[in-house]
Amino acid sequence: MIREFEHGGNIYEPAPDGEAWLDFSANINPLGLPSSVRNVLAREWGQVIHYPDPQGRELKTAIGTFYQVPTGNVILGNGAAELLYLFFHALRPRTVLLPVPSFNEYERAALAGNAGVKYFFMTATTVFDLDVLRLLPAMEGADCLVLGNPNNPTGNLLDREKVETIVAHAAKKNMTVIVDESFLDFRKDRESYTAFPLIRQYDNLFIIQSLTKFYALPGLRLGFGIGNQTLLSLLEKHKDVWNVNVLAQKAGAAALADSGYQSLSRSFIESAGDHFVSLLQKIPHLHIYPRTVNFLFFAWMTDAINAEMLSLHMKKNHILIRDCSNYPALDSTFFRIAVRKKEENIRLFEKLKDYINSF
């Protein structure tokens, strides 16, 4: 059984027969490391004899240029998750409201900061959409709200108008809103959803974003946050001065300048994702929720199968998937898989089909 706060499959765990895992549990760009990043890592590896730039000037400039935000509103993180822990450590909110299901590091980070956690349940009957009108009164008494946009594991999106409604209401309650946009770069219409433009108007908004998912850099750990300068000044005082290493800073700057990789990735995910869904629709008793980014969210509509059973079966075939039964508001019928390359997606589909046919 998957444990509380446990993530997807562990590729470092020995696989059957010593064969490498095919990892559908981690939502990483299947195109892999951009060649621009490979080149800069090969060129700059010798720089590890120096301490990293504590101000991250080159990377912050690249972020500011790409996302059209002032560099003074940018803080760098050793992954977006570090910024969650940093926020809760520095600000110590008493009560954090979490719409669930959502990424379990939100709760883990809040608890690490000794905050109380209050759930706002989204349900399968409403396709896990966040009902803003129902959320607003539920915000009463909380100091902080954390939103995933798109949400992980459901993939649900909030347009900027809905996010602003929430942030504006929170401002009246002296409440901070954290918005996690870590998967938004996978969308061609990112500008319709990002809350970045709201930073100029709302001091109670803090946006975090990972660079490791879209640019396939999870082993380097790289992310950033956008917020008002007073908040960022406080956070800077609580973090390690050299929290982002030399190679990660160089890799991030190179990745953000690689427009060809960005365009190709979005088109690839759209095409591969649609093809994958068309295959999986052939599987009986499988409910597929709408795909918005580079992962798919499912529920079994039969009592004969659950996510734990499926996960164990797939492991025997060297495939890792994400059992979602440890997410609040979900049960053992739910699971999530990443969109990978076509031949890999077909392999999972065939194994899944064989498993269903065995019943």
Side-chain angles (χ1 to χ4, degrees):
M1 179 179 292
I2 190 167
R3 298 185 300 272
E4 184 182 22
F5 302 132
E6 185 178 348
H7 293 285
N10 184 352
I11 63 166
Y12 300 102
E13 187 178 291
D17 308 320
E19 184 179 332
W21 293 110
L22 180 54
D23 190 6
F24 280 87
S25 69
N27 304 318
I28 307 301
N29 191 331
L31 294 185
L33 202 62
S35 58
S36 57
V37 173
R38 289 183 185 275
N39 292 339
V40 79
L41 292 177
R43 187 175 68 244
E44 301 288 348
W45 68 268
Q47 295 300 312
V48 298
I49 64 171
H50 302 296
Y51 284 101
D53 178 2
Q55 296 180 35
R57 286 179 269 263
E58 181 184 8
L59 180 54
K60 283 184 179 179
T61 298
I63 291 169
T65 300
F66 185 81
Y67 293 103
Q68 294 296 291
V69 293
T71 56
N73 294 111
V74 178
I75 185 170
L76 303 181
N78 190 332
E82 183 196 34
L83 297 174
L84 282 171
Y85 285 87
L86 182 62
F87 177 93
F88 289 118
H89 174 78
L91 273 76
R92 299 283 172 169
R94 291 166 300 172
T95 305
V96 177
L97 181 62
L98 298 179
V100 292
S102 61
F103 183 44
N104 57 24
E105 286 298 313
Y106 303 157
E107 180 174 3
R108 193 168 182 269
L111 294 175
N114 293 320
V117 172
K118 177 182 171 184
Y119 292 150
F120 176 84
F121 288 95
M122 300 178 286
T123 65
T125 55
T126 58
V127 202
F128 295 103
D129 277 337
L130 182 61
D131 185 339
V132 175
L133 293 180
R134 193 166 63 88
L135 174 68
L136 297 184
M139 292 163 62
E140 191 69 36
D143 307 292
C144 178
L145 169 70
V146 186
L147 301 173
N149 193 31
N151 188 45
N152 176 12
T154 64
N156 288 22
L157 283 162
L158 289 169
D159 62 38
R160 186 158 56 240
E161 184 179 353
K162 286 184 179 178
V163 174
E164 183 169 13
T165 297
I166 295 167
V167 174
H169 183 78
K172 297 174 185 176
K173 305 289 183 181
N174 197 30
M175 179 182 186
T176 303
V177 178
I178 301 174
V179 180
D180 181 358
E181 297 189 356
S182 290
F183 291 99
L184 209 47
D185 277 345
F186 284 98
R187 293 192 61 88
K188 293 179 178 179
D189 58 353
R190 176 190 174 277
E191 293 303 318
S192 299
Y193 297 97
T194 181
F196 280 17
L198 302 181
I199 287 293
R200 303 183 190 95
Q201 301 167 248
Y202 298 98
D203 286 344
N204 66 317
L205 175 62
F206 182 48
I207 304 169
I208 60 172
Q209 178 150 340
S210 167
L211 290 174
T212 61
K213 295 172 177 63
F214 185 69
Y215 295 104
L217 299 168
L220 273 182
R221 310 301 305 135
L222 186 60
F224 66 95
I226 304 291
N228 73 77
Q229 292 184 3
T230 301
L231 170 63
L232 298 195
S233 178
L234 174 63
L235 296 181
E236 289 282 358
K237 291 176 183 177
H238 282 261
K239 75 171 182 64
D240 170 13
V241 69
W242 299 296
N243 65 321
V244 180
N245 70 67
V246 170
L247 295 181
Q249 290 189 33
K250 293 289 185 181
L256 289 166
D258 196 338
S259 58
Y261 177 88
Q262 294 154 12
S263 179
L264 179 62
S265 295
R266 295 184 186 107
S267 297
F268 182 88
I269 289 297
E270 186 173 36
S271 174
D274 289 348
H275 178 262
F276 203 7
V277 169
S278 71
L279 288 176
L280 293 166
Q281 285 172 338
K282 300 173 184 177
I283 303 291
H285 311 300
L286 184 63
H287 178 72
I288 309 171
Y289 286 84
R291 183 192 64 80
T292 59
V293 282
N294 66 321
F295 58 83
L296 301 171
F297 181 57
F298 307 87
W300 287 113
M301 308 304 289
T302 173
D303 294 334
I305 304 170
N306 62 45
E308 184 179 4
M309 293 165 56
L310 177 64
S311 181
L312 290 172
H313 172 78
M314 288 298 181
K315 271 190 168 184
K316 292 176 183 176
N317 290 280
H318 310 96
I319 295 173
L320 300 175
I321 66 169
R322 180 58 160 99
D323 174 353
C324 292
S325 60
N326 68 340
Y327 283 90
L330 299 182
D331 57 30
S332 61
T333 61
F334 292 94
F335 69 101
R336 189 200 69 206
I337 58 176
V339 175
R340 294 184 60 96
K341 293 182 177 178
K342 185 177 179 180
E343 60 275 17
E344 296 169 330
N345 297 338
I346 291 173
R347 179 178 164 187
L348 182 142
F349 164 71
E350 295 293 345
K351 296 299 181 183
L352 182 57
K353 184 175 65 173
D354 291 344
Y355 182 61
I356 299 301
N357 290 339
S358 69
F359 283 87

